[in-house]
DNA sequence: AGAATCATGTAAGGGGTTACATGATTCG
DNA sequence: CGAATCATGTAACCCCTTACATGATTCT
Protein backbone atom coordinates (compact mmCIF):
# COMPACT_ATOMS: atom_id res chain seq x y z
CA UNK A 1 0.00 0.00 0.00
CA UNK A 2 2.77 2.36 -0.92
CA UNK A 3 1.21 4.55 -3.57
CA UNK A 4 -1.54 4.48 -6.17
CA UNK A 5 -2.75 1.19 -4.72
CA UNK A 6 -6.13 0.41 -3.25
CA UNK A 7 -9.04 -1.59 -4.56
CA UNK A 8 -10.57 -0.10 -7.71
CA UNK A 9 -14.20 0.53 -8.35
CA UNK A 10 -14.41 -2.11 -11.04
CA UNK A 11 -16.67 -0.03 -13.22
CA UNK A 12 -13.74 2.30 -13.86
CA UNK A 13 -12.03 -0.43 -15.81
CA UNK A 14 -14.65 0.12 -18.48
CA UNK A 15 -12.84 3.30 -19.48
CA UNK A 16 -9.88 1.19 -20.54
CA UNK A 17 -12.07 -0.22 -23.27
CA UNK A 18 -11.91 3.08 -25.08
CA UNK A 19 -8.18 2.75 -25.73
CA UNK A 20 -8.16 -0.99 -26.36
CA UNK A 21 -7.40 -0.43 -30.06
CA UNK A 22 -5.15 2.60 -29.91
CA UNK A 23 -4.24 5.83 -28.17
CA UNK A 24 -6.73 8.61 -27.54
CA UNK A 25 -6.80 11.77 -25.51
CA UNK A 26 -9.20 12.24 -22.61
CA UNK A 27 -11.64 14.55 -24.26
CA UNK A 28 -11.95 12.33 -27.34
CA UNK A 29 -12.65 9.34 -25.10
CA UNK A 30 -15.25 11.34 -23.29
CA UNK A 31 -17.03 12.22 -26.52
CA UNK A 32 -16.95 8.64 -27.72
CA UNK A 33 -18.40 7.48 -24.40
CA UNK A 34 -21.29 9.89 -24.83
CA UNK A 35 -22.07 9.08 -28.47
CA UNK A 36 -25.69 8.10 -29.18
CA UNK A 37 -24.94 4.38 -29.26
CA UNK A 38 -22.24 4.61 -26.57
CA UNK A 39 -22.28 3.87 -22.88
CA UNK A 40 -23.26 7.38 -21.85
CA UNK A 41 -26.88 6.30 -21.78
CA UNK A 42 -26.05 3.63 -19.23
CA UNK A 43 -23.45 5.25 -17.05
CA UNK A 44 -23.39 9.04 -17.02
CA UNK A 45 -20.08 10.54 -15.94
CA UNK A 46 -19.43 14.19 -15.40
CA UNK A 47 -16.34 15.70 -17.00
CA UNK A 48 -14.64 16.48 -13.73
CA UNK A 49 -14.98 12.92 -12.60
CA UNK A 50 -13.96 11.65 -15.99
CA UNK A 51 -10.56 13.25 -15.73
CA UNK A 52 -10.18 12.14 -12.13
CA UNK A 53 -10.82 8.53 -13.14
CA UNK A 54 -8.28 8.71 -15.94
CA UNK A 55 -5.74 10.12 -13.50
CA UNK A 56 -6.40 7.25 -11.11
CA UNK A 57 -6.10 4.66 -13.84
CA UNK A 58 -2.78 6.19 -14.74
CA UNK A 59 -1.63 6.25 -11.12
CA UNK A 60 -2.57 2.57 -10.88
CA UNK A 61 -0.37 1.73 -13.83
CA UNK A 62 -3.11 0.80 -16.27
CA UNK A 63 -2.60 3.80 -18.53
CA UNK A 64 0.36 5.88 -19.62
CA UNK A 65 0.06 9.31 -21.08
CA UNK A 66 2.08 11.61 -23.29
CA UNK A 67 1.32 15.28 -23.65
CA UNK A 68 0.71 16.72 -27.13
CA UNK A 69 0.99 20.49 -27.19
CA UNK A 70 -1.08 22.34 -29.77
CA UNK A 71 -1.19 26.03 -30.53
CA UNK A 72 -3.52 28.00 -28.31
CA UNK A 73 -5.56 25.11 -26.96
CA UNK A 74 -4.70 23.27 -23.74
CA UNK A 75 -2.35 20.42 -24.62
CA UNK A 76 -3.87 17.01 -25.20
CA UNK A 77 -3.03 14.21 -22.83
CA UNK A 78 -2.90 11.09 -24.95
CA UNK A 79 -3.46 7.80 -23.14
CA UNK A 80 -2.58 4.28 -24.10
CA UNK A 81 -2.87 0.92 -22.33
CA UNK A 82 0.08 -0.49 -20.46
CA UNK A 83 0.51 -4.28 -20.54
CA UNK A 84 -0.98 -4.38 -17.03
CA UNK A 85 -3.85 -2.28 -18.31
CA UNK A 86 -4.49 -4.63 -21.20
CA UNK A 87 -4.51 -7.62 -18.84
CA UNK A 88 -6.87 -5.91 -16.42
CA UNK A 89 -9.18 -4.86 -19.22
CA UNK A 90 -9.35 -8.29 -20.84
CA UNK A 91 -9.92 -9.92 -17.49
CA UNK A 92 -12.65 -7.43 -16.73
CA UNK A 93 -14.47 -7.69 -20.01
CA UNK A 94 -14.57 -11.48 -19.94
CA UNK A 95 -15.75 -12.06 -16.39
CA UNK A 96 -19.36 -11.95 -15.18
CA UNK A 97 -20.51 -9.66 -12.38
CA UNK A 98 -20.79 -11.22 -8.96
CA UNK A 99 -23.67 -9.26 -7.46
CA UNK A 100 -27.09 -8.49 -8.81
CA UNK A 101 -26.71 -4.81 -8.13
CA UNK A 102 -23.78 -4.68 -10.59
CA UNK A 103 -25.87 -5.94 -13.45
CA UNK A 104 -27.65 -2.72 -14.26
CA UNK A 105 -24.52 -0.75 -15.04
CA UNK A 106 -21.48 -2.95 -15.05
CA UNK A 107 -22.72 -5.97 -16.92
CA UNK A 108 -24.14 -3.77 -19.63
CA UNK A 109 -20.77 -2.03 -19.89
CA UNK A 110 -19.01 -5.37 -20.19
CA UNK A 111 -21.41 -6.46 -22.88
CA UNK A 112 -20.83 -3.23 -24.78
CA UNK A 113 -17.10 -3.78 -25.00
CA UNK A 114 -17.39 -7.53 -25.45
CA UNK A 115 -19.28 -6.80 -28.66
CA UNK A 116 -16.24 -4.94 -29.89
CA UNK A 117 -14.02 -7.89 -29.00
CA UNK A 118 -16.03 -10.19 -31.23
CA UNK A 119 -18.95 -12.63 -31.11
CA UNK A 120 -16.96 -15.34 -29.32
CA UNK A 121 -16.22 -13.12 -26.37
CA UNK A 122 -19.87 -12.06 -26.21
CA UNK A 123 -21.11 -15.63 -26.21
CA UNK A 124 -18.65 -16.62 -23.48
CA UNK A 125 -19.52 -13.68 -21.29
CA UNK A 126 -23.24 -14.34 -21.59
CA UNK A 127 -22.79 -18.01 -20.82
CA UNK A 128 -20.71 -17.34 -17.74
CA UNK A 129 -23.13 -14.70 -16.52
CA UNK A 130 -26.04 -17.06 -17.02
CA UNK A 131 -24.39 -19.60 -14.78
CA UNK A 132 -23.88 -16.99 -12.07
CA UNK A 133 -27.48 -15.83 -12.35
CA UNK A 134 -28.81 -19.35 -12.07
CA UNK A 135 -26.92 -19.56 -8.77
CA UNK A 136 -28.56 -16.37 -7.54
CA UNK A 137 -31.96 -17.68 -8.51
CA UNK A 138 -31.46 -20.89 -6.57
CA UNK A 139 -30.35 -18.95 -3.52
CA UNK A 140 -33.42 -16.76 -3.56
CA UNK A 141 -35.68 -19.73 -4.05
CA UNK A 142 -34.08 -21.44 -1.08
CA UNK A 143 -34.64 -18.33 1.01
CA UNK A 144 -38.27 -18.23 -0.10
CA UNK A 145 -38.76 -21.78 1.06
CA UNK A 146 -37.22 -21.01 4.45
CA UNK A 147 -39.02 -17.74 5.07
CA UNK A 148 -42.42 -18.78 3.90
CA UNK A 149 -44.41 -19.63 7.01
CA UNK A 150 -43.54 -17.12 9.71
CA UNK A 151 -41.87 -14.29 7.88
CA UNK A 152 -44.16 -13.01 5.16
CA UNK A 153 -42.15 -9.88 4.56
CA UNK A 154 -38.90 -11.77 4.07
CA UNK A 155 -40.72 -14.08 1.72
CA UNK A 156 -41.83 -11.14 -0.40
CA UNK A 157 -38.32 -9.71 -0.44
CA UNK A 158 -36.81 -12.91 -1.75
CA UNK A 159 -39.63 -13.39 -4.20
CA UNK A 160 -38.94 -9.90 -5.52
CA UNK A 161 -35.27 -10.66 -5.97
CA UNK A 162 -35.99 -13.98 -7.60
CA UNK A 163 -38.23 -12.21 -10.09
CA UNK A 164 -35.53 -9.71 -10.94
CA UNK A 165 -32.96 -12.44 -11.47
CA UNK A 166 -35.36 -14.45 -13.60
CA UNK A 167 -35.84 -11.38 -15.79
CA UNK A 168 -32.07 -11.09 -16.13
CA UNK A 169 -31.91 -14.69 -17.28
CA UNK A 170 -34.65 -14.16 -19.84
CA UNK A 171 -32.83 -11.15 -21.14
CA UNK A 172 -29.52 -13.01 -21.32
CA UNK A 173 -31.24 -15.73 -23.32
CA UNK A 174 -32.61 -13.14 -25.68
CA UNK A 175 -29.13 -11.62 -26.06
CA UNK A 176 -27.60 -15.00 -26.79
CA UNK A 177 -30.27 -15.79 -29.34
CA UNK A 178 -29.77 -12.52 -31.13
CA UNK A 179 -27.44 -12.53 -34.16
CA UNK A 180 -24.51 -10.22 -33.67
CA UNK A 181 -25.24 -8.40 -36.91
CA UNK A 182 -28.67 -7.59 -35.65
CA UNK A 183 -28.79 -4.18 -37.27
CA UNK A 184 -30.56 -4.90 -40.54
CA UNK A 185 -33.68 -6.79 -39.56
CA UNK A 186 -36.34 -6.49 -36.82
CA UNK B 1 -30.48 27.05 4.96
CA UNK B 2 -29.76 28.19 8.47
CA UNK B 3 -29.08 24.96 10.25
CA UNK B 4 -29.88 21.27 9.96
CA UNK B 5 -31.40 21.85 6.52
CA UNK B 6 -30.50 20.14 3.27
CA UNK B 7 -32.28 17.53 1.22
CA UNK B 8 -32.57 14.20 2.97
CA UNK B 9 -31.67 10.80 1.63
CA UNK B 10 -35.27 9.65 1.54
CA UNK B 11 -34.42 6.18 2.74
CA UNK B 12 -33.55 7.65 6.13
CA UNK B 13 -37.19 8.50 6.66
CA UNK B 14 -37.77 4.78 7.05
CA UNK B 15 -36.23 4.99 10.52
CA UNK B 16 -39.12 7.19 11.58
CA UNK B 17 -41.37 4.20 11.11
CA UNK B 18 -39.87 2.61 14.19
CA UNK B 19 -41.29 5.28 16.48
CA UNK B 20 -44.61 5.73 14.68
CA UNK B 21 -46.48 4.12 17.60
CA UNK B 22 -44.50 5.36 20.57
CA UNK B 23 -41.14 6.41 21.93
CA UNK B 24 -38.09 4.20 21.76
CA UNK B 25 -34.40 4.61 22.41
CA UNK B 26 -31.84 4.26 19.64
CA UNK B 27 -30.52 0.88 20.57
CA UNK B 28 -33.97 -0.63 20.87
CA UNK B 29 -34.85 0.71 17.43
CA UNK B 30 -31.66 -0.78 16.08
CA UNK B 31 -32.52 -4.22 17.46
CA UNK B 32 -36.03 -4.05 16.09
CA UNK B 33 -34.66 -3.11 12.67
CA UNK B 34 -32.44 -6.16 12.70
CA UNK B 35 -35.01 -8.68 13.87
CA UNK B 36 -35.43 -11.76 11.67
CA UNK B 37 -38.54 -10.44 9.93
CA UNK B 38 -37.37 -6.82 10.05
CA UNK B 39 -35.78 -4.59 7.49
CA UNK B 40 -32.21 -5.51 8.35
CA UNK B 41 -32.26 -8.14 5.63
CA UNK B 42 -33.03 -5.47 3.06
CA UNK B 43 -31.04 -2.50 4.24
CA UNK B 44 -28.06 -3.23 6.47
CA UNK B 45 -26.97 -0.30 8.60
CA UNK B 46 -23.94 -0.27 10.84
CA UNK B 47 -24.36 0.96 14.38
CA UNK B 48 -22.18 4.01 13.90
CA UNK B 49 -24.22 5.11 10.95
CA UNK B 50 -27.43 4.32 12.75
CA UNK B 51 -26.73 6.83 15.47
CA UNK B 52 -25.57 9.38 12.93
CA UNK B 53 -28.86 9.05 11.03
CA UNK B 54 -30.87 9.49 14.21
CA UNK B 55 -28.87 12.58 15.05
CA UNK B 56 -29.58 14.01 11.62
CA UNK B 57 -33.28 13.25 11.87
CA UNK B 58 -33.31 15.07 15.16
CA UNK B 59 -31.36 18.01 13.74
CA UNK B 60 -33.91 18.18 10.93
CA UNK B 61 -36.75 18.45 13.37
CA UNK B 62 -38.36 15.07 12.71
CA UNK B 63 -37.42 13.59 16.06
CA UNK B 64 -37.06 14.91 19.59
CA UNK B 65 -35.15 13.12 22.28
CA UNK B 66 -35.09 13.00 26.04
CA UNK B 67 -32.27 11.42 27.98
CA UNK B 68 -33.06 8.69 30.48
CA UNK B 69 -30.20 8.05 32.89
CA UNK B 70 -29.88 4.57 34.30
CA UNK B 71 -27.43 3.29 36.86
CA UNK B 72 -24.12 2.25 35.44
CA UNK B 73 -25.13 2.00 31.79
CA UNK B 74 -24.81 4.87 29.33
CA UNK B 75 -28.05 6.85 29.47
CA UNK B 76 -30.74 6.03 26.96
CA UNK B 77 -31.69 8.64 24.41
CA UNK B 78 -35.41 8.18 23.89
CA UNK B 79 -36.81 9.46 20.59
CA UNK B 80 -40.32 10.35 19.59
CA UNK B 81 -41.84 11.82 16.44
CA UNK B 82 -42.47 15.53 16.19
CA UNK B 83 -45.58 16.61 14.29
CA UNK B 84 -43.31 17.42 11.35
CA UNK B 85 -41.80 13.97 11.70
CA UNK B 86 -45.21 12.31 11.64
CA UNK B 87 -46.17 14.25 8.51
CA UNK B 88 -42.93 13.38 6.78
CA UNK B 89 -43.25 9.73 7.71
CA UNK B 90 -46.85 9.40 6.56
CA UNK B 91 -46.08 11.17 3.34
CA UNK B 92 -43.09 8.91 2.78
CA UNK B 93 -44.82 5.64 3.53
CA UNK B 94 -47.76 6.39 1.25
CA UNK B 95 -45.92 7.60 -1.84
CA UNK B 96 -44.40 5.38 -4.51
CA UNK B 97 -40.74 5.58 -5.49
CA UNK B 98 -39.93 7.64 -8.54
CA UNK B 99 -36.92 5.79 -9.92
CA UNK B 100 -36.38 2.15 -10.65
CA UNK B 101 -33.17 2.07 -8.70
CA UNK B 102 -35.07 2.97 -5.52
CA UNK B 103 -37.29 -0.07 -5.77
CA UNK B 104 -34.85 -2.62 -4.44
CA UNK B 105 -34.40 -0.98 -1.04
CA UNK B 106 -36.76 1.89 -0.60
CA UNK B 107 -39.96 0.48 -1.97
CA UNK B 108 -39.51 -2.66 0.09
CA UNK B 109 -38.99 -0.48 3.16
CA UNK B 110 -42.16 1.45 2.41
CA UNK B 111 -44.08 -1.77 1.99
CA UNK B 112 -42.76 -3.06 5.29
CA UNK B 113 -44.09 -0.10 7.22
CA UNK B 114 -47.25 0.19 5.16
CA UNK B 115 -48.15 -3.30 6.38
CA UNK B 116 -48.01 -1.96 9.91
CA UNK B 117 -50.28 0.93 8.95
CA UNK B 118 -52.94 -1.47 7.77
CA UNK B 119 -54.21 -3.21 4.64
CA UNK B 120 -55.73 -0.06 3.15
CA UNK B 121 -52.42 1.75 3.14
CA UNK B 122 -50.74 -1.29 1.57
CA UNK B 123 -53.31 -1.54 -1.18
CA UNK B 124 -53.01 2.18 -1.96
CA UNK B 125 -49.25 2.11 -2.03
CA UNK B 126 -49.18 -0.88 -4.35
CA UNK B 127 -51.72 0.70 -6.66
CA UNK B 128 -49.85 3.95 -6.90
CA UNK B 129 -46.56 2.17 -7.46
CA UNK B 130 -48.12 0.05 -10.18
CA UNK B 131 -49.18 3.18 -12.02
CA UNK B 132 -45.66 4.58 -11.81
CA UNK B 133 -44.17 1.30 -13.03
CA UNK B 134 -46.52 1.17 -15.98
CA UNK B 135 -45.21 4.58 -16.94
CA UNK B 136 -41.62 3.33 -16.77
CA UNK B 137 -42.51 0.35 -18.91
CA UNK B 138 -44.06 2.51 -21.59
CA UNK B 139 -41.01 4.74 -21.61
CA UNK B 140 -38.66 1.85 -22.09
CA UNK B 141 -40.81 0.37 -24.81
CA UNK B 142 -40.83 3.71 -26.61
CA UNK B 143 -37.03 3.82 -26.36
CA UNK B 144 -36.85 0.29 -27.76
CA UNK B 145 -38.90 1.29 -30.74
CA UNK B 146 -36.67 4.32 -31.38
CA UNK B 147 -33.36 2.59 -30.91
CA UNK B 148 -34.16 -0.53 -32.79
CA UNK B 149 -32.66 -0.09 -36.25
CA UNK B 150 -29.30 1.61 -35.87
CA UNK B 151 -28.43 1.25 -32.21
CA UNK B 152 -28.50 -2.40 -31.22
CA UNK B 153 -26.77 -1.80 -27.90
CA UNK B 154 -29.23 0.86 -26.82
CA UNK B 155 -32.01 -1.45 -27.83
CA UNK B 156 -30.66 -4.15 -25.55
CA UNK B 157 -30.28 -1.70 -22.68
CA UNK B 158 -33.88 -0.60 -22.89
CA UNK B 159 -35.07 -4.13 -23.35
CA UNK B 160 -33.20 -5.06 -20.18
CA UNK B 161 -34.82 -2.26 -18.24
CA UNK B 162 -38.24 -3.09 -19.61
CA UNK B 163 -37.78 -6.66 -18.42
CA UNK B 164 -36.84 -5.53 -14.93
CA UNK B 165 -39.85 -3.23 -14.73
CA UNK B 166 -42.15 -5.94 -16.02
CA UNK B 167 -40.88 -8.22 -13.24
CA UNK B 168 -41.62 -5.47 -10.70
CA UNK B 169 -45.16 -5.24 -12.01
CA UNK B 170 -45.65 -9.00 -11.77
CA UNK B 171 -44.39 -8.92 -8.23
CA UNK B 172 -46.66 -6.00 -7.31
CA UNK B 173 -49.60 -7.95 -8.70
CA UNK B 174 -48.63 -10.91 -6.59
CA UNK B 175 -48.37 -8.68 -3.51
CA UNK B 176 -51.78 -7.18 -4.17
CA UNK B 177 -53.32 -10.60 -4.66
CA UNK B 178 -51.88 -11.87 -1.41
CA UNK B 179 -54.11 -11.73 1.68
CA UNK B 180 -52.64 -9.55 4.38
CA UNK B 181 -52.90 -12.32 6.95
CA UNK B 182 -50.84 -14.50 4.76
CA UNK B 183 -48.95 -16.14 7.61
CA UNK B 184 -51.02 -19.28 8.18
CA UNK B 185 -51.30 -20.86 4.74
CA UNK B 186 -48.88 -21.50 1.84
C1' DA C 1 -13.12 -15.92 33.91
C1' DG C 2 -14.17 -14.72 29.37
C1' DA C 3 -17.80 -13.47 25.99
C1' DA C 4 -21.63 -11.25 24.60
C1' DT C 5 -24.88 -7.53 25.52
C1' DC C 6 -26.12 -2.91 26.61
C1' DA C 7 -25.81 1.93 24.84
C1' DT C 8 -23.81 5.31 23.15
C1' DG C 9 -20.72 7.59 19.99
C1' DT C 10 -15.90 9.82 17.50
C1' DA C 11 -12.26 9.82 13.87
C1' DA C 12 -10.34 8.89 9.57
C1' DG C 13 -10.68 8.07 5.00
C1' DG C 14 -12.65 6.88 0.42
C1' DG C 15 -15.71 7.88 -3.36
C1' DG C 16 -18.80 10.81 -5.78
C1' DT C 17 -21.31 15.20 -6.99
C1' DT C 18 -21.54 20.14 -7.79
C1' DA C 19 -19.58 24.17 -8.65
C1' DC C 20 -16.02 26.88 -10.43
C1' DA C 21 -11.71 28.10 -13.40
C1' DT C 22 -9.30 28.93 -17.83
C1' DG C 23 -8.62 30.67 -22.36
C1' DA C 24 -8.39 30.21 -27.22
C1' DT C 25 -11.41 28.87 -31.28
C1' DT C 26 -15.00 28.11 -34.25
C1' DC C 27 -19.97 28.58 -35.31
C1' DG C 28 -24.25 31.16 -36.18
C1' DC D 1 -20.70 39.56 -31.23
C1' DG D 2 -22.30 36.02 -28.27
C1' DA D 3 -22.51 30.96 -27.73
C1' DA D 4 -20.86 26.60 -28.01
C1' DT D 5 -16.75 23.77 -28.42
C1' DC D 6 -12.19 22.38 -27.26
C1' DA D 7 -9.39 20.52 -23.34
C1' DT D 8 -8.05 20.33 -19.27
C1' DG D 9 -8.54 20.34 -14.35
C1' DT D 10 -9.16 22.13 -8.78
C1' DA D 11 -11.88 22.89 -4.51
C1' DA D 12 -15.52 22.12 -1.47
C1' DC D 13 -18.80 19.35 0.17
C1' DC D 14 -21.70 15.22 1.28
C1' DC D 15 -22.42 10.49 2.13
C1' DC D 16 -20.96 6.26 3.64
C1' DT D 17 -17.77 2.69 5.52
C1' DT D 18 -14.35 1.03 8.67
C1' DA D 19 -12.12 1.22 12.66
C1' DC D 20 -11.79 2.46 17.31
C1' DA D 21 -13.55 3.96 22.20
C1' DT D 22 -16.02 3.21 26.65
C1' DG D 23 -17.42 0.71 30.66
C1' DA D 24 -20.73 -1.68 33.31
C1' DT D 25 -23.64 -6.01 33.19
C1' DT D 26 -25.37 -10.33 32.35
C1' DC D 27 -24.69 -14.91 30.34
C1' DT D 28 -22.01 -19.38 29.87
Amino acid sequence: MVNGEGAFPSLALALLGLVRDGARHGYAMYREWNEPNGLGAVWRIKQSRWYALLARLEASGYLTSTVQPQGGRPPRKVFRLTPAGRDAYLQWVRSPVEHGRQFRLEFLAKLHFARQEGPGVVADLIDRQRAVCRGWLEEQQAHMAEASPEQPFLYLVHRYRAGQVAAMLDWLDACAGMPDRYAASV
Side-chain angles (χ1 to χ4, degrees), chain A residues 42-155:
Chain A
V42 174
W43 190 23
R44 285 170 208 288
I45 308 182
K46 294 286 163 65
Q47 253 189 345
S48 59
R49 203 188 158 204
W50 182 266
Y51 287 109
L53 285 172
L54 288 179
R56 277 194 64 189
L57 288 165
E58 189 177 7
S60 301
Y62 295 146
L63 291 175
T64 41
S65 67
T66 57
V67 176
Q68 267 188 4
Q70 37 172 18
R73 295 277 169 82
R76 290 173 171 166
K77 211 167 164 183
V78 177
F79 293 95
R80 72 188 65 239
L81 280 178
T82 63
R86 175 159 300 278
D87 287 352
Y89 167 68
L90 288 176
Q91 226 270 308
W92 174 82
V93 81
R94 285 156 196 259
S95 52
V97 296
E98 282 167 14
H99 299 288
R101 54 179 180 274
Q102 300 175 316
F103 206 99
R104 207 172 91 78
L105 296 182
E106 189 166 351
F107 182 78
L108 292 173
K110 284 169 189 268
L111 181 65
H112 179 262
F113 286 112
R115 298 176 117 240
Q116 298 183 8
E117 298 287 333
V121 174
V122 172
D124 268 20
L125 177 64
I126 290 177
D127 260 18
R128 295 180 65 188
Q129 190 66 64
R130 267 199 288 210
V132 173
C133 286
R134 277 192 296 267
W136 296 342
L137 187 56
E138 279 163 29
E139 262 178 61
Q140 294 304 323
Q141 284 166 343
H143 284 310
M144 283 166 70
E146 282 170 37
S148 205
E150 285 131 28
Q151 297 159 330
F153 178 68
L154 264 199
Y155 173 81

